[in-house]
Amino acid sequence: MTVKSSISLTDPQARFARALVESGQYSSLSSVLQQGLELLRQKNEAEELEVAALRQLVDRRMSGPMISAGEMDTRIERMIARKQKSSNVGT
């Protein structure tokens, strides 16, 4: 189904969209706008998935065993030391 719509573009937006059509990248201004909306939809969907995954991770971490700040610092320092050691192996 196709829905006709009237939109307003700023001058820079209109110039950019027309340049894309004139260069042959898109067949029409409608195609440019449709692609732009599709990319925005995909971006929003990816952000929603990322937020859901982060919430799930936080929930899992909050329901697991807690460690002290000191223990966390020690673990981070060890991790950094391992990373530095592995990056210095080839040098």
Side-chain angles (χ1 to χ4, degrees):
M1 181 174 114
T2 302
V3 176
K4 286 208 172 254
S5 181
S6 174
I7 63 162
S8 297
L9 299 174
T10 64
D11 288 337
Q13 290 170 335
R15 280 192 300 274
F16 179 68
R18 276 192 228 105
L20 292 172
V21 173
E22 289 168 5
S23 72
Q25 289 179 267
Y26 293 90
S27 60
S28 66
L29 183 58
S30 289
S31 296
V32 172
L33 297 175
Q34 288 168 355
Q35 180 66 30
L37 284 172
E38 178 60 20
L39 290 171
L40 184 57
R41 185 195 63 75
Q42 290 173 6
K43 177 183 175 280
N44 285 344
E45 194 173 281
E47 287 173 355
E48 288 172 5
L49 290 171
E50 184 176 329
V51 167
L54 287 171
R55 283 191 177 127
Q56 186 179 35
L57 176 62
V58 168
D59 289 345
R60 193 172 65 218
R61 296 290 176 136
M62 294 298 291
S63 65
M66 297 289 184
I67 61 171
S68 69
E71 175 61 22
M72 181 56 75
D73 288 343
T74 300
R75 289 182 184 191
I76 291 171
E77 287 170 11
R78 287 181 192 152
M79 180 183 68
I80 291 170
R82 281 193 310 271
K83 293 283 185 183
Q84 288 173 338
K85 185 179 177 183
S86 68
S87 66
N88 291 333
V89 169
T91 57

